[in-house]
Amino acid sequence: MPFTDRNQAAYQLAEALSQYQDMHPLVLAIPRGAVPMGRIIADALGGELDVVLVRKLPAPFNPEYAIGSVDESGWTYVSDSAAAAGATPEYIEQEKQRQLATIRRRRAEYTPLRPPIEPAGRIVIVVDDGLATGATMIAALHGLRERKPARLVCAVPVAPVDTVDRVRLYADDVVCLETPFSFKAVGQFYSDFPQVGDEEVVEILRR
């Protein structure tokens, strides 16, 4: 396994991102798994932590496979494989609304007393615990680009090569520690890959 757990992966990512140390970057983690990682990276780089809320659109008959994604503004990314996976326009719209409801609930729960931290003019580092299709990362980067960061960086421990190439179109820099040839799921590259609950996310953001 390349990584023992998310913490180890986060420390390795922080080292790979050391060029941004003491530049007060805004580290935006994709909930939920990447939020503990984002805390480690933000602390190591002398930055600030927040979340970027995006949700994948799952395939009709395979909920683990993303055929697209939606960001907090409602912008939707739909992959070229969506139709082949059985996703009709009606299904995509229905799933989009369902995921937007989850995003709204999470925003109210995660940061009830403040708005999202403004990324304009900041070095923004978007962190996830790994990419499979890259759909959620693409939605996150697209939405953030509209808000005019000074530099937009994607940082992940592991992803397939073709996904890294796809995501690179949306970022100024992509930092990916491992690009294995055989890739089935992000969790296969961690010895310990537990679920991260909403309660843990809230506690980390409060700190």
Side-chain angles (χ1 to χ4, degrees), residues 47-115:
E48 198 171 7
L49 175 67
D50 202 354
V51 289
V52 55
L53 297 182
V54 290
R55 294 283 292 174
K56 74 177 181 181
L57 304 178
F61 307 107
N62 183 0
E64 295 303 313
Y65 181 71
I67 52 91
S69 55
V70 60
D71 74 1
E72 198 165 1
S73 74
W75 180 81
T76 307
Y77 165 76
V78 179
S79 74
D80 295 337
S81 63
T88 64
E90 293 77 16
Y91 169 85
I92 291 170
E93 180 60 29
Q94 182 182 35
E95 194 59 38
K96 171 185 170 180
Q97 295 305 321
R98 192 167 75 89
Q99 299 303 334
L100 278 171
T102 299
I103 287 174
R104 287 191 289 269
R105 176 186 63 78
R106 285 187 170 177
R107 177 58 69 190
E109 185 175 1
Y110 291 171
T111 58
L113 302 179
R114 63 168 177 82

Side-chain angles (χ1 to χ4, degrees), residues 153-173:
V153 181
C154 164
V156 293
V158 61
V161 172
D162 60 335
T163 296
V164 172
D165 290 341
R166 193 178 305 123
V167 168
R168 202 180 297 279
L169 299 174
Y170 297 85
D172 297 311
D173 187 18

